């Protein structure tokens, strides 16, 4: 039996994203910033973040998988969908749902650096600092959370729960 407990409510998420949007807009007043969301988990965060920024942005997606169907990373990262455009000479903000071990971001930042962007920063809605195995700099963090498995607001467990409006802790007997 699985149970869900609200950790961060949709209202809390909304107001924090408004702050981050203003912060990013302030850092790139001219724009356009290339917001690159990591599929699939970041798609809802991206949609709200882009609308919270009063400055121009471009929306792009990249696919990376590291998790398989379990709750812990397989440690094996692969690119499942590449960008459709060149980011050479552009300011990039990688939009991620959650930074856990840091393996995914470390890999992605290496891939993106080869594309010669003007700059790259990272915006993550959630950060689980206790679980970090690779040091990565997260420039914009929504919420730091304890080492618990969370779902909702884009985050899944085996593809379920992405549509929950709140971020919830998923516990089960397994
Ligand atoms: P990392 O490579 O270990 O940093 O893992 C990052 C990815 O793992 C995230 O983009 C999520 O897709 C997934 N992930 C990590 N922790 C959780 C969680 O608590 N719930 C759902 N997905 C998670
Ligand atoms: Mg993800």
């Amino acid at each position: 039996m699985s149970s869900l407990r609200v950790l961060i409510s949709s209202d809390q998420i909304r107001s924090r994203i408004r702050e981050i949007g203003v912060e990013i807009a302030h850092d790139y007043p001219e724009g356009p910033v290339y917001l690159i969301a990591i599929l699939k988990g970041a798609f809802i965060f991206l949609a709200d973040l882009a609308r919270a920024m009063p400055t121009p942005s471009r929306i792009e997606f990249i696919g990376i998988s590291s998790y398989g169907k379990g709750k812990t990373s397989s440690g094996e990262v692969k690119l499942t969908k590449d960008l459709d455009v060149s980011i050479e000479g552009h300011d990039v903000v990688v939009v991620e749902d959650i930074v856990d071990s840091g393996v995914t971001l470390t890999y992605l930042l290496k891939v993106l650096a080869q594309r010669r962007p003007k700059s790259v920063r990272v915006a993550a809605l959630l950060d689980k600092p206790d679980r970090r195995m690779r040091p990565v700099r997260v420039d914009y963090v929504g919420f730091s959370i304890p080492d618990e498995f969370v779902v909702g607001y884009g985050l899944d467990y085996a593809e379920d729960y992405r549509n929950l409006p709140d971020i919830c802790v998923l516990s089960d007997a397994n």
Side-chain angles (χ1 to χ4, degrees):
M1 264 295 282
S2 300
S3 72
L4 292 166
R5 169 172 58 84
V6 175
L7 183 67
I8 306 168
S9 72
S10 59
D11 282 349
Q12 288 174 288
I13 298 169
R14 192 176 311 115
S15 65
R16 183 67 188 118
I17 291 179
R18 210 172 289 143
E19 292 172 353
I20 297 175
V22 169
E23 202 182 328
I24 297 177
H26 177 265
D27 291 346
Y28 305 91
E30 305 293 324
V33 181
Y34 279 63
L35 298 176
I36 300 182
I38 306 180
L39 292 170
K40 302 172 193 168
F43 81 107
I44 295 181
F45 178 35
L46 170 81
D48 286 344
L49 182 63
R51 286 178 291 180
M53 287 171 54
T55 49
S57 62
R58 304 253 169 96
I59 307 295
E60 299 295 336
F61 295 95
I62 198 161
I64 292 188
S65 87
S66 71
Y67 254 56
K69 287 184 174 169
K71 283 188 181 178
T72 51
S73 176
S74 64
E76 199 180 299
V77 186
K78 63 176 191 226
L79 202 63
T80 56
K81 184 210 172 292
D82 205 343
L83 296 171
D84 299 322
V85 295
S86 166
I87 53 167
E88 190 170 342
H90 293 296
D91 290 313
V92 167
V93 173
V94 173
V95 179
E96 175 60 310
D97 50 3
I98 182 166
V99 186
D100 186 30
S101 68
V103 171
T104 304
L105 265 182
T106 302
Y107 169 82
L108 178 62
L109 292 175
K110 207 164 71 188
V111 170
L112 293 181
Q114 293 164 357
R115 314 281 172 88
R116 303 175 181 281
K118 183 174 164 198
S119 69
V120 180
R121 288 189 183 174
V122 174
L125 181 64
L126 303 173
D127 186 11
K128 276 190 207 170
D130 296 347
R131 302 248 313 162
R132 201 73 92 251
M133 288 160 52
R134 305 274 170 82
V136 281
R137 203 184 78 220
V138 184
D139 304 277
Y140 310 98
V141 178
F143 304 90
S144 280
I145 62 166
D147 180 10
E148 293 186 284
F149 196 84
V150 290
V151 295
Y153 198 78
L155 291 112
D156 75 308
Y157 174 57
E159 297 301 327
D160 288 328
Y161 308 111
R162 292 193 195 276
N163 59 316
L164 299 178
D166 307 306
I167 291 167
C168 301
V169 174
L170 176 71
S171 9
D172 59 20
N174 301 326

